Amino acid sequence: MARILITSAIPYINGIKHLGNLVGSQLPADLYARFMRGRGHEVLFLCATDEHGTPAELAAAKAGKPVEEFCAGMHAVQKGIADGFRLSFDHFGRSSSQRNHRLTQHFAGKLAENGLIEEVSEKQVFSVADNRFLPDRYIEGTCPNCGYDRARGDQCENCTKQLDPTDLITPRSAISGSTDLEVRETRHLYLRQRALRDRLEAWIDSKTDWPILTTSIARKWLKDGEGLQDRGITRDLHWGVPVRKGDQPWPGMEGKVFYVWFDAPIEYIACAAEWADANGLAEADWERWWRTDKGAADVRYVQFMGKDNVPFHTLSFPATIMGSGEPWKLVDYIKSFNYLNYDGGQFSTSQGRGVFMDQALSILPADYWRWWLLSHAPENADSEFTWENFQASVNKDLADVLGNLVSRVTKFAASKLGAAVPAGGAFGPQETALIADLGARLRDYEALMAAMDIRKAAAELRGIWVAGNEYLQAAAPWSALKTDPARAEVIVRLSLNLIRVYAILSRPFIPDAAATMMTAMGSADWTWPDHIGEALRALPPGHAFTVPENLFRKITDEERADWQQRFSGVRG
């Protein structure tokens, strides 16, 4: 039994995420966690909300709430939505936790001890009216490139041009609207990433099994332009982890907080400590996952994220861990994803374009979305959600293939042979051929899932479902019942056992439907079917079963058209 630590990129706190965010991190991480648990491995699956930084303060101000209250409320909302999608986190933490405060301050202190923190004087915009320095997103103005009058100090949302606050025409405070702004000098801490460049490059070069998407982005950031840059780790904000050197004050840094990019990945570690706290466990219980001197050397650590998060996870977070000089666990594998686009364009929060996670669950149960998103995961290139494709996939894969088999077998068996597994005789040539086929397919499915080759794994699972349908159609128990009742019983006995096997294999993708199938078969045995022949004999003659309600309903053309219109937003 292996020990596997899994983290998903932590979602930002300032709003509900769209389906592209879901399929780019949390959902495939859940798939992998469920599969590894199903194989009997010890898994710790962690995620959290990323709660610090400028956007959290702005979102709280817009909502008219104190930032602490806003973040607590949004954490509860995101936790509820995650539960709705059946994301099986062992703990869903918060980067604002005291655990993360202490760990962030600890890492900063260790980095300083090792000469990897530098104080830098820089110029920053100060709002006289607000009596505070304004980070980039707290400054708005007219974009010098396209004339958009609500461009932010870091980027124009309209034309996407990268900006500095001093580039803006008629800049103003995003807090008060005041134009009484000055450029003043302030001091900040920088992580000397360039000093770790050679170690980071050697480490990345050693990861020969990583996806090309991951390593290509990491190498690009290492080598483009002037290469890896030192990076500021503090900000003049009120909301965040106060700047301290371990448990000691940091002279000259009073009133400042650590920059969100620095403290957010440290929450992966803090989240494990939060998990231990929440379950009444000892320090050693979480340290065995994270400290190589406490048992974590045997842990395989896998991260899941969208490609925009790769630089922080391949360079900055590893730099923090390496630079600490302490025996913390480094990631073993990073599964990164391209983008999911929406119906001929892009998801847009500001324009209300696309399906967001709460909206999706209000339309259809989680399994419908889980299946489509995972079977179309943007692994090797960007992929696109279209309502036509979604409808076709649900109707064909889930309703016509899997749902149809379960319905036909259980209804026929219950009506013609009674609500218990029939006896019949020994398996014949058709059953032997099916067992051989499923055995080979199962090995392929296992290999693809272990390799996190998600789309191919989904296709293989569908092939396993199809094989059962083809067997049922060819064996035709409804015909055999008229001429050879014992033969019909054999077919039904195998088919009912096959439903239980399908429940186990399908559980990582569609957990609710899997649970329904398992309950209908009157079983609670989720043991992985290492030997298909034995698994298809697990439910003995006389074992009671029930006919489940329809596993999946079809999506109508009228529904599809309505949803397509409802979530079209404003096309620009």
Side-chain angles (χ1 to χ4, degrees):
M1 183 176 71
R3 287 198 296 133
I4 302 165
L5 173 63
I6 301 170
T7 61
S8 162
I10 63 178
Y12 202 68
I13 195 70
N14 65 335
I16 294 168
K17 307 308 169 189
H18 57 65
L19 295 182
N21 300 130
L22 177 64
V23 76
S25 56
Q26 293 177 324
L27 187 54
D30 180 70
L31 178 81
Y32 186 63
R34 287 177 175 276
F35 172 71
M36 286 301 175
R37 290 191 195 108
R39 298 305 310 276
H41 300 302
E42 185 182 3
V43 171
L44 183 63
F45 178 25
L46 303 173
C47 192
T49 39
D50 179 2
E51 299 190 6
H52 293 136
T54 308
E57 288 196 355
L58 290 175
K62 185 176 181 181
K65 296 179 179 179
V67 65
E68 295 91 339
E69 180 185 331
F70 172 81
C71 288
M74 282 306 302
H75 175 269
V77 169
Q78 292 202 20
K79 175 65 166 64
I81 293 173
D83 291 343
F85 274 100
R86 306 299 186 253
L87 303 179
S88 59
F89 304 127
D90 289 291
H91 190 72
F92 188 65
R94 301 181 62 184
S95 70
S96 62
S97 70
Q98 285 305 304
R99 281 287 196 173
N100 197 42
H101 277 228
R102 292 195 294 272
L103 264 174
T104 298
Q105 292 162 345
H106 170 83
F107 273 105
K110 289 298 178 182
L111 290 164
E113 286 178 19
N114 296 330
L116 292 169
I117 299 291
E118 180 181 7
E119 288 194 26
V120 175
S121 180
E122 57 186 41
K123 296 185 183 300
Q124 192 172 333
V125 174
F126 184 88
S127 169
V128 176
D130 300 310
N131 192 33
R132 63 180 293 172
F133 284 99
L134 299 179
D136 300 345
R137 290 196 176 199
Y138 273 60
I139 307 165
E140 293 181 345
T142 300
C143 174
N145 184 55
C146 71
Y148 180 61
D149 65 357
R150 294 185 61 190
R152 297 193 311 256
D154 59 346
Q155 185 179 27
C156 175
E157 187 183 49
N158 186 57
C159 70
T160 72
K161 183 178 178 61
Q162 300 290 314
L163 299 169
D164 287 320
T166 52
D167 295 333
L168 295 172
I169 300 167
T170 320
R172 62 188 178 275
S173 166
I175 302 171
S176 62
S178 173
T179 58
D180 188 5
L181 308 179
E182 300 175 356
V183 176
R184 294 186 183 180
E185 191 171 285
T186 184
R187 294 185 67 79
H188 284 290
L189 302 179
Y190 274 64
L191 174 59
R192 297 179 57 226
Q193 296 186 140
R194 285 183 292 185
L196 295 162
R197 184 187 185 284
D198 291 345
R199 286 183 64 186
L200 288 166
E201 186 169 24
W203 175 67
I204 290 166
D205 286 345
S206 73
K207 303 300 181 182
T208 55
D209 63 330
W210 282 12
I212 293 173
L213 178 62
T214 303
T215 53
S216 62
I217 293 172
R219 292 192 176 107
K220 183 176 186 295
W221 275 65
L222 273 171
K223 297 179 178 179
D224 267 14
E226 298 180 13
L228 185 66
Q229 297 296 303
D230 296 344
R231 191 171 177 89
I233 63 169
T234 57
R235 280 290 184 268
D236 289 298
L237 288 173
H238 301 301
W239 174 241
V241 179
V243 177
R244 294 178 67 85
K245 195 179 296 186
D247 59 358
Q248 300 298 313
W250 203 310
M253 293 293 121
E254 297 83 2
K256 300 180 190 291
V257 300
F258 286 107
Y259 196 5
V260 62
W261 78 260
F262 182 70
D263 82 76
I266 294 172
E267 169 58 19
Y268 294 136
I269 305 174
C271 190
E274 294 171 47
W275 161 77
D277 293 341
N279 290 280
L281 302 175
E283 293 291 290
D285 291 306
W286 72 264
E287 289 178 340
R288 68 188 283 267
W289 291 97
W290 274 107
R291 289 189 63 103
T292 57
D293 61 337
K294 302 287 182 66
D298 297 330
V299 169
R300 175 167 169 79
Y301 177 22
V302 182
Q303 294 176 344
F304 290 79
M305 69 197 64
K307 60 185 177 183
D308 54 328
N309 275 317
V310 168
F312 293 110
H313 291 78
T314 55
L315 301 173
S316 297
F317 185 39
T320 297
I321 290 178
M322 291 177 184
S324 74
E326 295 182 323
W328 296 101
K329 176 70 182 175
L330 282 164
V331 66
D332 293 299
Y333 192 88
I334 296 179
K335 175 70 175 180
S336 57
F337 293 86
N338 289 284
Y339 293 142
L340 176 69
N341 295 317
Y342 178 76
D343 211 12
Q346 293 182 330
F347 285 90
S348 173
T349 303
S350 62
Q351 295 184 21
R353 187 166 190 274
V355 186
F356 290 74
M357 290 171 66
D358 59 337
Q359 297 169 331
L361 292 176
S362 74
I363 295 173
L364 288 168
D367 281 352
Y368 293 72
W369 302 103
R370 288 178 64 103
W371 174 252
W372 189 92
L373 290 167
L374 290 166
S375 62
H376 294 78
E379 292 175 290
N380 300 316
D382 291 353
S383 59
E384 182 175 10
F385 177 92
T386 69
W387 287 103
E388 291 81 5
N389 188 300
F390 178 65
Q391 179 191 28
S393 182
V394 166
N395 290 359
K396 292 177 182 177
D397 299 347
L398 298 180
D400 286 346
V401 179
L402 179 61
N404 182 55
L405 180 136
V406 173
S407 178
R408 291 174 77 189
V409 169
T410 55
K411 288 180 179 177
F412 173 79
S415 65
K416 302 298 183 182
L417 300 172
V421 176
F427 287 164
Q430 283 180 305
E431 289 71 42
T432 302
L434 176 65
I435 289 169
D437 181 30
L438 290 179
R441 289 180 180 275
L442 176 59
R443 299 288 87 83
D444 289 343
Y445 176 62
E446 291 168 344
L448 291 166
M449 289 287 277
M452 289 163 273
D453 202 340
I454 294 170
R455 290 178 73 142
K456 289 182 180 178
E460 193 61 52
L461 178 60
R462 186 185 188 279
I464 291 171
W465 298 341
V466 168
N469 273 279
E470 291 176 344
Y471 161 78
L472 186 66
Q473 193 64 25
W478 42 87
S479 298
L481 186 62
K482 300 172 185 176
T483 58
D484 188 351
R487 173 64 187 153
E489 289 186 359
V490 169
I491 299 166
V492 169
R493 189 178 83 231
L494 180 141
S495 297
L496 290 169
N497 273 280
L498 187 60
I499 292 172
R500 175 185 163 274
V501 169
Y502 282 176
I504 297 168
L505 300 185
S506 305
R507 193 184 196 185
F509 282 90
I510 46 174
D512 286 350
T516 298
M517 286 188 277
M518 189 64 85
T519 299
M521 292 304 101
S523 176
D525 181 5
W526 292 93
T527 304
W528 193 262
D530 291 309
H531 304 287
I532 286 290
E534 294 177 10
L536 292 178
R537 294 177 173 88
L539 303 180
H543 179 89
F545 71 90
T546 58
V547 178
E549 291 195 22
N550 195 22
L551 278 186
F552 296 99
R553 71 171 184 82
K554 290 192 174 185
I555 296 171
T556 67
D557 291 345
E558 292 75 18
E559 286 176 315
R560 185 203 71 217
D562 174 56
W563 296 336
Q564 192 162 17
Q565 174 62 34
R566 193 190 314 178
F567 300 107
S568 62
V570 181
R571 294 179 185 268

